Amino acid sequence: MASRALTISPSQLKKFKLCPRKWAFQIFGERVHEPPYGPALVGDRVHHWLEAWLESGTPPDLDEKVEYESRGRPVVRYPGRIAEAGIPHVPAPATPGMEIETDALFRAPATVYKGRVDLRYRDGRVTVVHDHKSTGNLNYALSDQPGSRNTWDEPNYLGDDEQGLVYAADAFVRGAEAVRLDWLYLETKPTTSGQHRTRKVSLPVLREDVSRGMLRLEERSERMQGLYRLEPDILDVPGNPHACGKFGGCEHREVCNIDPLEALMTDPNVD
């Protein structure tokens, strides 16, 4: 039984919400650190070029390409061109006071939350927390409208997003007077004209709304901490058959004992 508490990231919170067993595979399973591949590698390179631009004005390499296979088909992506599409939506290089690739840390009663902020800077009296996200489809973008739902009828309000809440809470405890979340979405697949579409979602958040949101996350974190202390067998952790086909298919499907009839209800080709 674990004696120490688990430091929890926004990605862990999202994974646990999607499927507790998928989270358990990450926490209790064999840790294999493989280099990023496919869309993950594209996202890493897009972040690299935006970071280089923000730090020193280094322009992206428009000829760099990432090649991989997806569902048996070859895919070619150009991270520098994707990053270039995002440049008009970020501050000028080397803006005074700008923090690039910095930690977010929030200590709550149940959990220490930790994440990595792509960009944080001041816009007058407002602290802007900016995150750039590579996506294959802008329909995955979160919304600035409370109660909104995406194409797949899933809640997608940025004000309820785990990452947004943790990053905003961190900004407030650092002394921010006001906080705005700027989520910049960069579509990795070009249009027929070779352009990359972007969408910037901006949401000013109130301290009281962030506090309520963090209380909701604490309830989930308490369940996660309870499982972490017990160190259960992974297959004893509840699974969600509706998550099996999400995001290209769960990487643990071959070793997971989800009821095949339940898993059949999901479409592995739906991202």
Side-chain angles (χ1 to χ4, degrees), residues 63-206:
D63 294 322
E64 180 189 45
K65 63 182 178 181
V66 173
E67 300 177 89
Y68 60 96
E69 282 194 3
S70 176
R71 297 168 189 156
R73 296 182 179 181
V75 176
V76 179
R77 295 289 182 259
Y78 291 85
R81 301 177 191 181
I82 300 167
E84 183 185 48
I87 286 176
H89 304 289
V90 298
T95 296
M98 184 166 58
E99 299 175 272
I100 303 165
E101 289 295 322
T102 186
D103 285 336
L105 187 69
F106 183 77
R107 299 181 184 275
T111 290
V112 174
Y113 299 91
K114 188 173 183 180
R116 192 75 174 164
V117 178
D118 289 339
L119 174 64
R120 187 166 52 217
Y121 64 96
R122 294 290 297 273
D123 182 7
R125 296 173 59 186
V126 177
T127 295
V128 179
V129 180
H130 175 107
D131 197 76
H132 22 266
K133 297 183 175 297
S134 302
T135 178
N137 189 332
L138 289 181
N139 286 331
Y140 287 118
L142 296 178
S143 168
D144 60 358
Q145 297 300 311
S148 61
R149 305 184 77 85
N150 63 18
T151 303
W152 302 275
D153 199 33
E154 300 164 333
N156 73 331
Y157 175 48
L158 176 54
D160 292 330
D161 178 67
E162 294 87 348
Q163 187 179 30
L165 287 169
V166 171
Y167 289 4
D170 166 72
F172 278 122
V173 298
R174 288 175 183 269
E177 296 179 58
V179 175
R180 187 179 81 230
L181 302 177
D182 278 3
W183 262 218
L184 174 60
Y185 292 89
L186 304 155
E187 199 166 53
T188 57
K189 183 179 180 180
T191 64
T192 53
S193 62
Q195 304 302 307
H196 289 276
R197 299 189 304 162
T198 65
R199 182 179 300 167
K200 188 172 184 178
V201 181
S202 295
L203 179 70
V205 291
L206 300 176

Side-chain angles (χ1 to χ4, degrees), residues 217-244:
L217 294 188
E218 278 284 88
E219 294 176 2
R220 193 184 313 167
S221 295
E222 288 174 356
R223 299 196 300 275
M224 296 165 71
Q225 296 288 6
L227 284 170
Y228 182 70
R229 287 190 293 269
L230 289 173
E231 297 185 31
D233 184 287
I234 293 173
L235 297 183
D236 288 337
V237 177
N240 174 18
H242 298 286
C244 297

Side-chain angles (χ1 to χ4, degrees), residues 15-26 28 223 227 234 237-240:
K15 190 168 290 186
F16 187 87
K17 182 179 180 181
L18 177 67
C19 177
R21 187 178 297 167
K22 186 181 178 93
W23 168 83
F25 272 110
Q26 174 189 346
F28 303 117
R223 299 196 300 275
L227 284 170
I234 293 173
V237 177
N240 174 18

